[in-house]
Amino acid sequence: MKKPFDASYNSESSNASLYSQNNNNNNNNNNNPTSNVEYQYATSSKWQDFKDSFKRVELEELDPTLTEAEKIAIITARSPLKRQLKNRHLQMIAIGGAIGTGLFVGSGSSLSAGGPAGLLIGYGISSTFILCMVCALGELAVEFPVSGGFTTYATRFVDESFGFAANLNYAIQWLVTLPLEIVAASITVQFWGTPKKYRDAFVALFYLVIISINFFGVKGYGEAEFVFSIIKVACIIGFIICGIALVCGARGSYIGGKYWHSPYSAFVGDTPGARFKGTMSVFVSAAFAFSGSELVGLAAAETANPRKAMPKASKQVFWRLTLFYMASLTLIGLLVSHTDSRLIGSSSVDAAASPFVIALVSHGIKGLPSVVNVVICIAVLSVGNSSVYACSRTLAALDEQGFAPNWMHLGYIDRAGRPLVGIIITSVFGLLSFISATDQQVNVFNWLLAISGLSSLFSWAGISLCHIRFRRALTAQGRSTDELTFTSPLGVIGSYYSLIMIFLVFIAEFWVAAWPTGYKEMSAGAIVENFFEIYLSFPCVLTCYLGHKIYKKNWKLWIRAADMDIDTGRRETDFDQLREDIAQERAEFKAMPFYKRFYAFWC
């Protein structure tokens, strides 16, 4: 007779306590810890254990006298997600999480629209405010490793309506990204002359692998991302080395800045206005390519030790942006002409190649183009894997914050820590990827790319705003950053910079969308189509925000800083001990040699 199987759920958020805040004296002394909930069930076989793992974790009922905001804070803090991500998982998610088809394939449309200079300007400016955003997110995620990540912060630190819009926007972003990635894969396999019926088989294969990985839970996601990211990083480094050799004349002729000068030019367009619009159009593609940079914050809720892992992971973004993106895109601009008909977004309806592949093929490199195409397919699996992970967790957080109808059961999290309903919904939506069987797959790719790109900008602006509001709450409640385990190296100034830059990008994108290059020769229908292809997500987010305001009759702009809950969900609640630990760590940091301090600060 087998021993009873103990499938216990111990909420590791039990250290997080609800602090009843006294706004007059700013004391936090009434602690009501969220309780541990244990489940035991006997099993007679591994098959039974497997079936039982899909049963929902039932949590203890909350005190009905708590306010709605207090209930949301506790529910998201004690979410039964499994904390199985290790430091190595988070590091590779940070380094390789945003290296996908946005870089390998989408950068082709950016080069075609903006030219090599416009490509670097668009990606370069984007990388600066993304770095600020990720550092701010790291600070928040270390302190509050709660379910839903930054979408939960939006509800707690800004406003419930803003939180609803942020949650729904982020969920839609990843719902769109899954079929988008698989559509991109169906485009790239055309490089091998794959017959149409077999391209459909590739779509089915990618889809099944992505969905299967996520049914292994967060540990399966982490291990898959660890392997995928290593492969992607190795490919980028190899391309950079090969690209430098080609530019310097390794194939017999020196290339240098050939494609930056006449008859090609560094920008696209004959007038300054056309060149500016071409450059601004790069931001949509750049936003899509960088989407996923915020995943480390979402993964903090399922990380064993976010205090140690998150600071390093957030700072790794700087090196990823500098080395992998800017170096590789510089070489792309030197090796590929923006007039090349094979680029997605060019005048050719058969455009189907990655600029990385074009760069190698155009300069006579044999074998490596196929290797890069294989890596692109792996990148599809990676980003598709992240899509299911991110969307399912966001949908669960949507339910935990009271934004979803009860009948949808979006908050269903099973005993293996999987948000099961969220995974199923994301998987069903992913079936849209089979639209690649149509002749309009490139148009579909461009539409999905635009929707996902602007969605990322909204998400990043929300993260920066949450950081600003959190710092404001600390000041208003008579507290300081001394109690924080990790503070953003760029401070609150970085968040202001990020927020302002994203706002300016939205203004410029509106101009590009409403008055595109050559709009005087375009029909009214073409202008409208161009506008919504670029700016569709803006009215969607605005509708969600205003609709929630009207439905809930919530007319406040944001939660007062003095009323914010800045304690529930923290893993570290002994602030006196925490201050001592931080003081000791800072003393040890100051005692280091300069070069070690410099490395530790940025890496």
Side-chain angles (χ1 to χ4, degrees):
M1 183 175 180
K2 294 189 176 183
K3 293 181 179 179
F5 178 74
D6 181 7
S8 61
Y9 159 66
N10 292 313
S11 173
E12 294 176 70
S13 300
S14 60
N15 292 330
S17 301
L18 175 65
Y19 284 72
S20 300
Q21 298 180 28
N22 185 321
N23 293 327
N24 295 323
N25 55 22
N26 294 308
N27 289 329
N28 301 295
N29 47 14
N30 293 323
N31 301 343
N32 297 312
T34 56
S35 59
N36 294 339
V37 183
E38 295 188 356
Y39 298 90
Q40 294 183 346
Y41 53 94
T43 61
S44 57
S45 66
K46 290 184 178 180
W47 172 245
Q48 186 62 41
D49 294 346
F50 173 74
K51 289 195 296 181
D52 288 342
S53 72
F54 290 93
K55 293 180 179 179
R56 184 172 190 166
V57 172
E58 300 295 340
L59 298 176
E60 191 176 76
E61 292 292 330
L62 294 178
D63 185 346
T65 62
L66 295 174
T67 66
E68 195 65 29
E70 289 170 338
K71 289 179 181 178
I72 290 173
I74 295 175
I75 291 172
T76 54
R78 71 174 189 177
S79 178
L81 297 170
K82 297 292 185 182
R83 288 174 178 150
Q84 296 178 330
L85 289 179
K86 300 178 181 178
N87 183 49
R88 64 182 176 89
H89 296 140
L90 211 60
Q91 295 302 316
M92 293 313 295
I93 290 172
I95 294 173
I99 300 177
T101 53
L103 174 63
F104 286 121
V105 181
S107 57
S109 62
S110 297
L111 179 61
S112 177
L119 177 70
L120 289 182
I121 292 171
Y123 275 79
I125 292 176
S126 297
S127 67
T128 60
F129 60 71
I130 289 171
L131 174 62
C132 296
M133 176 275 299
V134 172
C135 288
L137 179 60
E139 178 180 313
L140 292 172
V142 169
E143 296 304 316
F144 305 97
V146 298
S147 173
F150 85 91
T151 60
T152 303
Y153 308 149
T155 302
R156 290 177 60 174
F157 301 146
V158 184
D159 169 57
E160 293 87 351
S161 298
F162 186 81
F164 173 74
N167 272 270
L168 208 55
N169 170 68
Y170 198 60
I172 292 173
Q173 172 188 333
W174 286 110
L175 275 176
V176 166
T177 300
L178 177 58
L180 171 60
E181 290 295 321
I182 301 179
V183 168
S186 71
I187 294 174
T188 58
V189 297
Q190 293 181 28
F191 173 78
W192 294 300
T194 309
K196 185 174 182 180
K197 60 180 180 179
Y198 294 122
R199 293 203 301 268
D200 297 343
F202 269 104
V203 169
L205 176 63
F206 292 141
Y207 177 82
L208 290 175
V209 171
I210 290 168
I211 301 307
S212 298
I213 289 173
N214 278 271
F215 275 102
F216 282 98
V218 67
K219 191 171 183 180
Y221 165 74
E223 293 295 347
E225 279 305 292
F226 182 77
V227 175
F228 292 154
S229 294
I230 288 176
I231 295 172
K232 291 187 292 183
V233 168
C235 177
I236 292 293
I237 293 174
F239 176 82
I240 290 172
I241 295 171
C242 180
I244 292 173
L246 289 174
V247 171
C248 293
R251 296 294 293 177
S253 60
Y254 176 74
I255 299 174
K258 171 184 174 181
Y259 294 118
W260 285 62
H261 304 292
S262 180
Y264 299 102
S265 81
F267 294 93
V268 174
D270 299 325
T271 64
R275 292 172 181 172
F276 178 78
K277 288 181 178 179
T279 300
M280 291 311 303
S281 67
V282 172
F283 281 93
V284 174
S285 298
F288 169 68
F290 288 134
S291 63
S293 300
E294 72 290 336
L295 273 175
V296 289
L298 188 67
E302 296 173 88
T303 302
N305 191 348
R307 179 181 173 185
K308 298 295 183 183
M310 276 300 303
K312 289 185 178 180
S314 61
K315 288 185 284 189
Q316 286 290 340
V317 173
F318 172 78
W319 303 109
R320 184 186 72 205
L321 297 178
T322 302
L323 177 61
F324 301 141
Y325 273 86
M326 300 312 298
S328 60
L329 290 174
T330 298
L331 291 168
I332 287 296
L334 293 172
L335 294 170
V336 181
S337 167
H338 67 80
T339 61
D340 196 304
S341 62
R342 292 169 291 181
L343 293 170
I344 290 181
S346 67
S347 58
S348 172
V349 295
D350 296 323
S354 159
F356 289 79
V357 174
I358 293 173
L360 297 173
V361 171
S362 299
H363 297 89
I365 303 297
K366 304 293 184 181
L368 285 182
S370 290
V371 173
V372 173
N373 247 33
V374 170
V375 174
I376 292 173
C377 293
I378 291 174
V380 167
L381 295 176
S382 175
V383 182
N385 185 36
S386 296
S387 300
V388 179
Y389 173 82
C391 187
S392 60
R393 270 65 181 176
T394 305
L395 289 175
L398 195 74
D399 182 84
E400 291 168 343
Q401 296 174 67
F403 294 141
N406 292 333
W407 59 266
M408 294 187 71
H409 300 291
L410 295 181
Y412 188 110
I413 298 177
D414 65 21
R415 290 170 174 171
R418 295 169 297 212
L420 208 55
V421 175
I423 291 175
I424 292 171
I425 290 175
T426 310
S427 302
V428 171
F429 197 87
L431 293 173
L432 280 178
S433 56
F434 286 96
I435 204 168
S436 62
T438 72
D439 295 332
Q440 297 298 314
Q441 60 180 335
V442 174
N443 290 332
V444 172
F445 179 88
N446 289 333
W447 271 92
L448 295 178
L449 181 66
I451 294 172
S452 181
L454 280 186
S455 295
S456 297
L457 289 172
F458 279 112
S459 298
W460 300 333
I463 291 169
S464 299
L465 181 59
C466 287
H467 184 237
I468 292 169
R469 295 292 299 156
F470 171 66
R471 287 291 191 92
R472 177 72 187 88
L474 281 178
T475 303
Q477 296 181 25
R479 296 158 73 171
S480 72
T481 55
D482 291 339
E483 68 182 50
L484 302 182
T485 305
F486 167 69
T487 55
S488 168
L490 302 170
V492 72
I493 299 299
S495 294
Y496 276 111
Y497 168 79
S498 177
L499 188 60
I500 292 170
M501 287 301 299
I502 293 173
F503 178 73
L504 293 176
V505 169
F506 271 122
I507 294 176
E509 287 298 330
F510 180 83
W511 181 45
V512 172
W515 294 277
T517 302
Y519 71 92
K520 292 182 179 179
E521 288 76 34
M522 296 171 63
S523 65
I527 293 175
V528 171
E529 181 180 350
N530 178 79
F531 178 83
F532 283 106
E533 187 173 303
I534 294 176
Y535 229 69
L536 180 60
S537 52
F538 182 84
C540 291
V541 173
L542 190 62
T543 300
C544 290
Y545 178 75
L546 295 178
H548 187 273
K549 286 281 185 192
I550 295 171
Y551 181 75
K552 291 290 186 177
K553 296 182 173 59
N554 170 27
W555 307 119
K556 65 178 183 292
L557 185 59
W558 52 50
I559 301 169
R560 291 177 63 247
D563 296 335
M564 284 186 206
D565 178 2
I566 55 175
D567 291 304
T568 304
R570 287 192 175 188
R571 300 238 185 132
E572 307 284 350
T573 56
D574 186 345
F575 292 129
D576 292 334
Q577 182 62 47
L578 181 61
R579 289 189 185 97
E580 291 179 12
D581 293 343
I582 293 172
Q584 182 178 350
E585 291 170 3
R586 289 176 178 172
E588 292 172 354
F589 176 80
K590 290 180 180 179
M592 292 179 181
F594 172 76
Y595 68 92
K596 286 188 176 181
R597 280 186 283 127
F598 180 85
Y599 178 82
F601 183 82
W602 287 107
C603 302

